[in-house]
Every structure is written in C-alpha cells, then in structure tokens.
C-alpha cells in the first residue's frame, strides 16, 4: 500500500527534481569560437619579464604548439583540503584558485567542447589568435585540459623542430646573456598534458572561449648565471640537464601558465 505524500514534502520533491533538470539550454548544441591570446605581466609589454633570481628577460622569439584542447563540466581538484584549518577558513572568506594543472587521475566529467587540431601560439603576438569555430554542448565549463604533442610537419619550421622555442636576452646588473633553445617534452603522457585548468564559463550560442598564455611563468624560476658560455656575445643554448632547462620545463606546464576565459 502506498502512503500519501504530504503537501510540504511533495513541494520539496518538486524543487529537487526541477533542480536536477538544469537550465533550459543545457544539452543543446551550440556554435562557439575558440582562440588563444598571450597575456603580458601587469605593467609590462609582451615578452618582458623578471625571474625570481632577478634576471630581466626580453624575449625576441617565443612559440609553443598546443592541442587538442578539451572543455569539461567538472571543477579541477582543489589543494584546499591539505591546508591548515585557519587557511581553509580564510579561503572560504577570500576565494583563491588552488587547483593544480597536473592531476593524472582527474575526472573532468562531460566534454562540452573540444578542438582536436594543433595551434602554434606566438607568445609575442599582440591580440587574439583565432583557432576555430566549433560546435559543442551548452552548459557550464569548469575546467579545461590541453595536450602538448609534437608539432605536425606543417608547424615544425616555426618551432625549429621542437615543442617550444625561445630566443632572447637575459640581463642582471652588468651581465647580459643571449640565449635560445628548444624544449622537447618526454613521451610519458603526463608531461604532454596540462590537466585541470580552472574555468568558470557558461557555454552558449556564440560564446568566445579564449585560451590565455602567461609566458612570464616559463622562466620564473630560471637562473641564467648557471648557463655556460665562452664569450660575452655568444648565444648560449638552453641544453637539457641545465637549471634553466629544468625551470623552463616546469614553467611551460605549471599552474597559472594557461588560463581560460
């Protein structure tokens, strides 16, 4: 025998069921654009930055190949659960972005949009660099994942055969070092992905999604005094196994290097 549902309980059930249904546009196919943009540090121009060890960097050439790119419904994991209670309470009052871009087991949930090609981002190009017009599914985007695969033959020349390429000048006091080099990411799956990039978007018809590159993070921890060179005017190569190369490798796929708007 079924029991009658009291009016207040019936009303509560209706509210719960309606909330599970989501917005009226969720699930609809929509057309949206995707683009990339290199964002300069505050108060600086593109290609100018300072390392933690006090080197002033001026990039003269800087490119990276990215793609595919996936837009997900799930928020990335948060590091907040490992913080002391006082810091967690402060975080609730003053929200902070604590997600990390390297969670191997992160389940992004439903893919709302994806770009399956490759794009070379010119980190010194001012303004938006269009990627493609795509079709996706309307709804919330809370994270993104991108892959850093070897460049296709059509892009290899721009990158001198590498995943990432730079050329520039590092200055600290009276010391000036010209440098250049290419970065090749090991084929272990983990290092060729940037996972769990935080996002807070609602994908809809005509939305414009922009992948932002913060190139100043590439060399934030680099110390160019460790690089070797035989002459003042010699261009020093960023070789594997050096401190600058290791810092660059971490910076290319570190937290905050890529953001989504």
């Amino acid at each position: 025998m079924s029991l009658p549902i009291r009016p207040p309980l019936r009303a509560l059930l209706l509210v719960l069921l309606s909330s599970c249904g989501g917005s009226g546009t969720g699930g609809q196919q929509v057309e949206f654009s995707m683009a990339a943009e290199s964002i300069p540090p505050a108060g600086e121009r593109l290609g100018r930055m300072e390392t933690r060890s006090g080197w002033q960097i001026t990039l003269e050439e800087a490119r990276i190949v990215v793609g595919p790119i996936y837009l997900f419904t799930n928020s990335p994991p948060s590091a907040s659960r490992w913080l002391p209670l006082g810091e967690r309470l402060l975080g609730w009052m003053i929200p902070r972005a604590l997600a990390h871009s390297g969670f191997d087991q992160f389940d992004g949930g439903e893919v709302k949009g994806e770009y399956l090609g490759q794009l070379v981002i010119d980190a010194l190009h001012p303004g938006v660099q269009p990627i493609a017009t795509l079709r996706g599914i309307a709804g919330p985007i809370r994270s993104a994942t991108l892959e850093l695969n070897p460049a296709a033959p059509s892009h290899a020349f721009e990158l001198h055969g590498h995943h990432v390429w730079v050329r520039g000048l590092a200055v600290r006091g009276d010391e000036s070092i010209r440098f250049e080099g290419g970065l090749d990411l090991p084929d272990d799956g983990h290092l060729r992905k940037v996972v769990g990039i935080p996002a807070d978007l609602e994908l809809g018809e005509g939305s414009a999604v922009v992948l932002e590159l913060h190139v100043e993070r590439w060399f934030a921890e680099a110390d160019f005094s460790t690089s070797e060179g035989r002459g003042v005017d010699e261009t020093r190569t960023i070789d594997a196994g050096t401190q600058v190369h290791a810092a660059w490798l971490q910076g290319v796929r570190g937290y905050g290097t890529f953001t989504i708007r």
Side-chain angles (χ1 to χ4, degrees):
M1 180 179 69
S2 62
L3 296 176
I5 300 177
R6 296 179 180 178
L9 181 58
R10 182 182 294 111
L12 176 61
L13 288 174
L14 289 173
V15 170
L16 292 174
L17 288 172
S18 63
S19 66
C20 293
S23 65
T25 59
Q28 295 180 0
Q29 284 200 3
V30 294
E31 187 175 272
F32 69 100
S33 65
M34 186 176 289
E37 185 175 11
S38 185
I39 306 297
E44 291 282 3
R45 64 178 177 85
L46 280 176
R48 291 289 301 273
M49 63 206 72
E50 182 177 357
T51 72
R52 194 179 299 275
S53 54
W55 288 91
Q56 299 290 333
I57 307 295
T58 301
L59 295 178
E60 299 167 357
E61 190 177 357
R63 294 184 178 88
I64 182 171
V65 61
V66 302
I69 304 169
Y70 303 94
L71 306 176
F72 290 106
T73 55
N74 286 356
S75 298
S78 172
S80 61
R81 61 181 177 274
W82 289 291
L83 292 175
L85 177 60
E87 290 192 43
R88 277 185 281 164
L89 290 173
L90 180 62
W92 292 333
M93 293 183 289
I94 307 174
R96 293 185 294 165
L98 293 170
H100 188 273
S101 60
F103 292 95
D104 286 337
Q105 304 304 319
F106 170 53
D107 178 11
E110 182 184 0
V111 176
K112 288 290 188 178
E114 60 187 10
Y115 168 68
L116 299 179
Q118 276 192 333
L119 169 78
V120 175
I121 301 178
D122 182 351
L124 305 183
H125 176 83
V128 172
Q129 302 172 57
I131 297 178
T133 299
L134 305 165
R135 294 202 65 80
I137 301 173
I141 304 296
R142 297 296 176 258
S143 64
T145 289
L146 63 88
E147 297 183 14
L148 304 173
N149 295 316
S154 57
H155 298 312
F157 177 78
E158 297 176 83
L159 294 148
H160 300 259
H162 302 281
H163 286 86
V164 195
W165 175 262
V166 293
R167 178 172 55 85
L169 176 68
V171 177
R172 187 174 66 177
D174 296 330
E175 189 174 9
S176 298
I177 297 174
R178 301 202 66 83
F179 64 88
E180 69 178 21
L183 191 65
D184 298 300
L185 303 180
D187 187 14
D188 70 352
H190 173 67
L191 288 177
R192 290 187 176 179
K193 286 185 179 180
V194 182
V195 178
I197 302 169
D200 187 13
L201 312 173
E202 290 293 326
L203 194 65
E205 184 68 28
S207 292
V209 179
V210 180
L211 174 69
E212 299 175 325
L213 170 63
H214 302 267
V215 72
E216 77 276 7
R217 296 181 182 266
W218 284 7
F219 295 106
E221 302 297 332
D223 183 359
F224 284 83
S225 65
T226 63
S227 62
E228 297 181 357
R230 292 186 297 274
V232 175
D233 297 327
E234 177 189 14
T235 297
R236 304 183 189 183
T237 302
I238 304 175
D239 293 320
T242 63
Q243 191 277 340
V244 175
H245 184 275
W248 189 17
L249 178 61
Q250 292 298 317
V252 158
R253 52 182 309 281
Y255 174 77
T257 299
F258 293 99
T259 54
I260 295 284
R261 76 170 193 266

Coordinates of all heavy atoms in Angstrom, one line a residue, residues 180-238:
E180 N 69.0 31.0 -26.6 CA 68.0 30.4 -27.4 C 67.9 28.9 -27.1 O 68.9 28.3 -26.5 CB 68.3 30.6 -28.9 CG 69.5 29.9 -29.5 CD 69.7 30.1 -30.9 OE1 69.2 31.1 -31.5 OE2 70.3 29.2 -31.6
G181 N 66.8 28.3 -27.5 CA 66.7 26.8 -27.3 C 65.4 26.3 -27.6 O 64.4 27.1 -27.7
G182 N 65.3 25.0 -27.7 CA 64.0 24.3 -27.9 C 63.8 23.4 -26.8 O 64.7 22.8 -26.2
L183 N 62.5 23.2 -26.5 CA 62.1 22.3 -25.4 C 61.3 21.1 -26.0 O 60.4 21.3 -26.8 CB 61.2 23.0 -24.4 CG 60.9 22.3 -23.1 CD1 62.1 22.1 -22.3 CD2 59.9 23.2 -22.3
D184 N 61.7 19.9 -25.7 CA 61.0 18.7 -26.1 C 60.5 17.9 -24.9 O 61.2 17.6 -24.0 CB 62.0 17.8 -26.9 CG 62.5 18.4 -28.2 OD1 61.7 18.8 -29.0 OD2 63.8 18.6 -28.3
L185 N 59.2 17.7 -24.9 CA 58.6 17.1 -23.7 C 58.6 15.6 -23.9 O 58.3 15.0 -24.9 CB 57.1 17.5 -23.6 CG 56.9 19.0 -23.5 CD1 55.4 19.3 -23.4 CD2 57.6 19.6 -22.4
P186 N 59.1 14.9 -22.8 CA 59.2 13.4 -22.9 C 57.9 12.7 -23.2 O 56.8 13.2 -22.8 CB 59.7 13.0 -21.5 CG 60.3 14.3 -21.0 CD 59.6 15.4 -21.5
D187 N 57.9 11.6 -23.8 CA 56.7 10.9 -24.2 C 56.3 9.9 -23.1 O 56.4 8.7 -23.3 CB 57.0 10.1 -25.5 CG 55.7 9.5 -26.1 OD1 54.6 9.9 -25.6 OD2 55.8 8.6 -27.0
D188 N 55.8 10.5 -22.0 CA 55.3 9.7 -20.9 C 53.8 9.9 -20.6 O 53.3 9.5 -19.7 CB 56.2 9.9 -19.7 CG 56.0 11.2 -19.0 OD1 55.3 12.1 -19.6 OD2 56.5 11.4 -17.9
G189 N 53.2 10.7 -21.5 CA 51.8 11.0 -21.3 C 51.5 12.2 -20.3 O 50.8 13.1 -20.6
H190 N 52.1 12.1 -19.1 CA 51.9 13.1 -18.1 C 52.4 14.4 -18.5 O 51.8 15.5 -18.4 CB 52.5 12.6 -16.8 CG 52.4 13.6 -15.7 ND1 51.3 14.0 -15.1 CD2 53.4 14.3 -15.1 CE1 51.5 14.9 -14.2 NE2 52.8 15.1 -14.1
L191 N 53.7 14.5 -19.0 CA 54.3 15.7 -19.3 C 53.8 16.4 -20.6 O 54.1 17.5 -20.8 CB 55.8 15.6 -19.4 CG 56.6 15.3 -18.0 CD1 58.0 15.1 -18.3 CD2 56.4 16.5 -17.1
R192 N 53.0 15.6 -21.3 CA 52.5 16.2 -22.5 C 51.0 16.6 -22.4 O 50.3 16.8 -23.3 CB 52.6 15.2 -23.7 CG 54.1 15.0 -24.1 CD 54.2 14.2 -25.4 NE 55.6 14.1 -25.8 CZ 56.0 13.4 -26.9 NH1 55.1 12.7 -27.6 NH2 57.2 13.4 -27.2
K193 N 50.6 16.8 -21.1 CA 49.2 17.3 -20.8 C 49.3 18.3 -19.7 O 50.1 18.3 -18.8 CB 48.3 16.1 -20.4 CG 47.9 15.2 -21.5 CD 46.9 14.2 -20.9 CE 46.5 13.2 -22.0 NZ 45.5 12.2 -21.5
V194 N 48.4 19.3 -19.8 CA 48.1 20.3 -18.8 C 46.7 20.0 -18.4 O 45.8 20.3 -19.1 CB 48.4 21.7 -19.2 CG1 48.1 22.6 -18.0 CG2 49.8 21.9 -19.7
V195 N 46.5 19.4 -17.2 CA 45.2 18.9 -16.8 C 44.6 19.8 -15.7 O 45.3 20.2 -14.8 CB 45.3 17.4 -16.3 CG1 44.0 16.9 -15.8 CG2 45.9 16.6 -17.4
G196 N 43.3 20.0 -15.8 CA 42.6 20.7 -14.7 C 42.8 22.2 -14.6 O 42.9 22.7 -13.6
I197 N 42.9 22.8 -15.8 CA 43.0 24.3 -15.8 C 41.6 24.8 -15.4 O 40.6 24.6 -16.0 CB 43.3 24.8 -17.2 CG1 44.6 24.2 -17.7 CG2 43.4 26.3 -17.3 CD1 44.9 24.4 -19.2
P198 N 41.6 25.6 -14.3 CA 40.3 26.1 -13.8 C 39.6 27.0 -14.8 O 40.2 27.8 -15.5 CB 40.7 27.0 -12.5 CG 42.1 26.5 -12.2 CD 42.7 26.1 -13.5
A199 N 38.3 26.9 -14.8 CA 37.5 27.8 -15.7 C 36.1 28.0 -15.0 O 35.7 27.3 -14.1 CB 37.2 27.1 -17.0
D200 N 35.5 29.1 -15.4 CA 34.2 29.4 -14.9 C 33.3 30.1 -16.0 O 33.1 31.3 -16.0 CB 34.3 30.4 -13.7 CG 33.0 30.6 -12.9 OD1 32.0 29.9 -13.2 OD2 32.9 31.5 -12.1
L201 N 32.9 29.2 -16.9 CA 32.2 29.7 -18.1 C 30.9 29.0 -18.3 O 30.6 27.9 -17.8 CB 33.1 29.4 -19.4 CG 34.6 29.8 -19.3 CD1 35.2 29.2 -20.6 CD2 34.7 31.3 -19.2
E202 N 30.0 29.7 -19.0 CA 28.7 29.1 -19.5 C 28.8 29.1 -21.0 O 28.7 30.1 -21.6 CB 27.5 29.9 -19.0 CG 27.3 29.8 -17.5 CD 26.9 28.4 -17.0 OE1 26.2 27.7 -17.8 OE2 27.3 28.0 -15.9
L203 N 28.9 27.9 -21.5 CA 29.0 27.8 -23.0 C 27.6 27.9 -23.6 O 26.7 27.2 -23.2 CB 29.6 26.4 -23.4 CG 30.1 26.2 -24.8 CD1 31.2 27.2 -25.1 CD2 30.5 24.8 -25.1
G204 N 27.5 28.8 -24.5 CA 26.2 29.1 -25.2 C 26.4 29.4 -26.6 O 27.6 29.5 -27.1
E205 N 25.3 29.7 -27.3 CA 25.4 30.0 -28.8 C 26.2 31.3 -28.9 O 25.9 32.3 -28.3 CB 24.0 30.2 -29.3 CG 24.0 30.5 -30.8 CD 24.5 29.3 -31.7 OE1 24.3 28.1 -31.2 OE2 25.0 29.5 -32.8
G206 N 27.3 31.3 -29.7 CA 28.1 32.4 -30.0 C 29.1 32.7 -28.9 O 29.8 33.8 -29.0
S207 N 29.3 31.9 -28.0 CA 30.3 32.1 -26.9 C 31.7 32.1 -27.6 O 32.0 31.5 -28.6 CB 30.3 31.0 -25.9 OG 29.2 31.0 -25.1
A208 N 32.6 32.9 -27.0 CA 34.0 33.0 -27.4 C 34.9 32.6 -26.3 O 35.0 33.2 -25.2 CB 34.3 34.5 -27.8
V209 N 35.5 31.4 -26.4 CA 36.4 30.8 -25.4 C 37.8 31.2 -25.8 O 38.3 30.9 -26.9 CB 36.2 29.3 -25.3 CG1 37.1 28.7 -24.3 CG2 34.7 29.0 -25.0
V210 N 38.6 31.7 -24.9 CA 40.0 32.1 -25.1 C 40.9 31.4 -24.2 O 40.8 31.4 -23.0 CB 40.2 33.6 -25.0 CG1 41.6 34.0 -25.3 CG2 39.2 34.4 -25.9
L211 N 41.9 30.7 -24.8 CA 43.0 30.1 -24.0 C 44.1 31.1 -23.9 O 44.6 31.6 -24.8 CB 43.5 28.8 -24.8 CG 44.8 28.2 -24.2 CD1 44.4 27.5 -22.8 CD2 45.4 27.2 -25.1
E212 N 44.4 31.5 -22.6 CA 45.4 32.5 -22.3 C 46.7 31.9 -22.0 O 46.8 31.0 -21.1 CB 44.9 33.4 -21.2 CG 43.6 34.1 -21.5 CD 43.1 34.9 -20.3 OE1 43.3 34.5 -19.2 OE2 42.5 36.0 -20.6
L213 N 47.8 32.4 -22.5 CA 49.1 32.0 -22.2 C 49.9 33.1 -21.4 O 49.9 34.3 -21.9 CB 49.9 31.7 -23.5 CG 51.4 31.5 -23.4 CD1 51.7 30.3 -22.5 CD2 52.1 31.4 -24.8
H214 N 50.4 32.7 -20.3 CA 51.2 33.7 -19.4 C 52.6 33.3 -19.5 O 53.2 32.5 -18.7 CB 50.7 33.6 -18.0 CG 49.2 33.9 -17.9 ND1 48.7 35.2 -17.6 CD2 48.1 33.2 -18.0 CE1 47.4 35.2 -17.6 NE2 47.0 34.0 -17.9
V215 N 53.3 33.8 -20.6 CA 54.6 33.3 -20.9 C 55.7 33.7 -19.8 O 56.7 33.0 -19.8 CB 55.0 33.9 -22.3 CG1 55.3 35.4 -22.2 CG2 56.2 33.1 -22.9
E216 N 55.4 34.7 -19.0 CA 56.4 35.0 -18.0 C 56.6 33.9 -17.0 O 57.6 33.9 -16.3 CB 55.9 36.3 -17.2 CG 54.8 36.1 -16.2 CD 53.4 36.1 -16.8 OE1 53.3 36.1 -18.0 OE2 52.4 36.1 -16.0
R217 N 55.7 33.0 -16.9 CA 55.8 31.8 -16.0 C 56.8 30.8 -16.5 O 57.3 29.9 -15.8 CB 54.5 31.2 -15.7 CG 53.5 32.2 -15.0 CD 52.2 31.5 -14.7 NE 51.3 32.5 -14.0 CZ 51.2 32.6 -12.7 NH1 51.9 31.8 -11.9 NH2 50.4 33.5 -12.2
W218 N 57.2 30.9 -17.8 CA 58.1 29.9 -18.3 C 59.5 29.9 -17.6 O 60.1 28.9 -17.3 CB 58.4 30.2 -19.8 CG 57.3 29.7 -20.7 CD1 56.0 29.3 -20.4 CD2 57.3 29.8 -22.2 NE1 55.3 29.0 -21.5 CE2 56.0 29.3 -22.6 CE3 58.2 30.2 -23.1 CZ2 55.7 29.2 -23.9 CZ3 57.9 30.1 -24.4 CH2 56.6 29.6 -24.9
F219 N 60.0 31.2 -17.3 CA 61.3 31.3 -16.8 C 61.3 31.9 -15.4 O 62.3 32.5 -14.9 CB 62.2 32.1 -17.7 CG 62.4 31.5 -19.0 CD1 61.8 31.9 -20.2 CD2 63.3 30.4 -19.1 CE1 62.0 31.3 -21.4 CE2 63.5 29.8 -20.3 CZ 62.9 30.2 -21.5
A220 N 60.2 31.8 -14.7 CA 60.1 32.4 -13.4 C 61.1 31.9 -12.4 O 61.6 32.7 -11.6 CB 58.7 32.2 -12.8
E221 N 61.5 30.7 -12.5 CA 62.5 30.1 -11.6 C 63.9 29.9 -12.2 O 64.7 29.3 -11.6 CB 61.9 28.7 -11.1 CG 60.6 28.8 -10.4 CD 60.6 29.6 -9.1 OE1 61.7 29.7 -8.5 OE2 59.6 30.2 -8.7
A222 N 64.0 30.4 -13.4 CA 65.3 30.2 -14.1 C 66.4 31.2 -13.6 O 66.2 32.3 -13.3 CB 65.1 30.4 -15.6
D223 N 67.6 30.6 -13.4 CA 68.8 31.4 -13.0 C 69.8 31.3 -14.1 O 70.5 30.3 -14.3 CB 69.4 30.9 -11.7 CG 70.5 31.7 -11.2 OD1 70.9 32.7 -11.9 OD2 71.1 31.4 -10.1
F224 N 69.9 32.4 -14.9 CA 70.8 32.3 -16.1 C 72.3 32.4 -15.8 O 73.1 32.2 -16.6 CB 70.4 33.4 -17.1 CG 69.2 33.1 -17.9 CD1 67.9 33.4 -17.3 CD2 69.3 32.6 -19.1 CE1 66.8 33.1 -18.1 CE2 68.1 32.3 -19.9 CZ 66.9 32.5 -19.3
S225 N 72.6 32.7 -14.5 CA 74.0 32.6 -14.1 C 74.6 31.2 -14.1 O 75.8 31.1 -14.1 CB 74.2 33.2 -12.7 OG 73.5 32.4 -11.7
T226 N 73.7 30.2 -14.2 CA 74.2 28.8 -14.2 C 74.5 28.4 -15.7 O 75.0 27.3 -15.9 CB 73.1 27.9 -13.6 OG1 71.9 28.0 -14.4 CG2 72.8 28.3 -12.2
S227 N 74.1 29.2 -16.7 CA 74.3 28.8 -18.1 C 75.8 29.0 -18.4 O 76.4 29.9 -17.9 CB 73.4 29.6 -19.0 OG 73.7 31.0 -18.9
E228 N 76.3 28.2 -19.3 CA 77.7 28.2 -19.7 C 77.8 28.8 -21.1 O 77.1 28.6 -22.0 CB 78.3 26.8 -19.7 CG 78.3 26.1 -18.3 CD 78.9 24.7 -18.3 OE1 79.2 24.3 -19.4 OE2 79.0 24.1 -17.3
G229 N 78.9 29.6 -21.2 CA 79.2 30.3 -22.5 C 80.7 30.7 -22.5 O 81.3 30.9 -21.5
R230 N 81.2 30.7 -23.7 CA 82.6 31.0 -23.8 C 82.9 32.5 -24.1 O 84.0 33.0 -23.9 CB 83.3 30.2 -24.9 CG 83.3 28.7 -24.6 CD 84.0 27.9 -25.7 NE 83.4 28.0 -27.0 CZ 82.4 27.2 -27.3 NH1 81.9 26.3 -26.5 NH2 81.8 27.3 -28.5
G231 N 81.9 33.2 -24.5 CA 82.2 34.6 -24.9 C 81.0 35.5 -24.5 O 79.9 35.0 -24.4
V232 N 81.2 36.8 -24.4 CA 80.2 37.7 -24.0 C 79.1 37.8 -25.0 O 77.9 37.9 -24.7 CB 80.8 39.1 -23.7 CG1 79.7 40.2 -23.4 CG2 81.8 39.1 -22.6
D233 N 79.5 37.8 -26.3 CA 78.5 37.9 -27.3 C 77.9 36.6 -27.8 O 77.1 36.6 -28.8 CB 79.1 38.7 -28.5 CG 79.5 40.1 -28.1 OD1 78.8 40.7 -27.3 OD2 80.5 40.6 -28.6
E234 N 78.4 35.5 -27.3 CA 77.9 34.2 -27.7 C 76.5 34.0 -27.3 O 76.1 34.3 -26.2 CB 78.8 33.1 -27.1 CG 78.4 31.7 -27.5 CD 79.1 30.7 -26.7 OE1 79.8 31.0 -25.7 OE2 79.1 29.5 -27.1
T235 N 75.7 33.4 -28.2 CA 74.3 33.0 -27.9 C 74.4 31.6 -27.2 O 74.9 30.6 -27.8 CB 73.4 32.9 -29.1 OG1 73.3 34.2 -29.7 CG2 72.1 32.4 -28.7
R236 N 74.0 31.5 -26.0 CA 74.0 30.3 -25.2 C 72.8 29.4 -25.5 O 71.7 29.9 -25.4 CB 74.2 30.6 -23.7 CG 75.4 31.4 -23.5 CD 75.7 31.7 -22.0 NE 76.7 32.7 -21.8 CZ 77.1 33.0 -20.6 NH1 76.6 32.5 -19.5 NH2 78.1 34.0 -20.5
T237 N 73.0 28.2 -25.7 CA 71.9 27.2 -25.9 C 71.3 26.7 -24.6 O 72.1 26.4 -23.7 CB 72.3 26.1 -26.8 OG1 72.9 26.6 -28.0 CG2 71.2 25.1 -27.1
I238 N 70.0 26.7 -24.5 CA 69.4 26.1 -23.3 C 69.4 24.6 -23.4 O 68.6 24.0 -24.1 CB 68.0 26.6 -23.1 CG1 68.0 28.1 -23.0 CG2 67.4 26.0 -21.8 CD1 66.6 28.7 -23.0

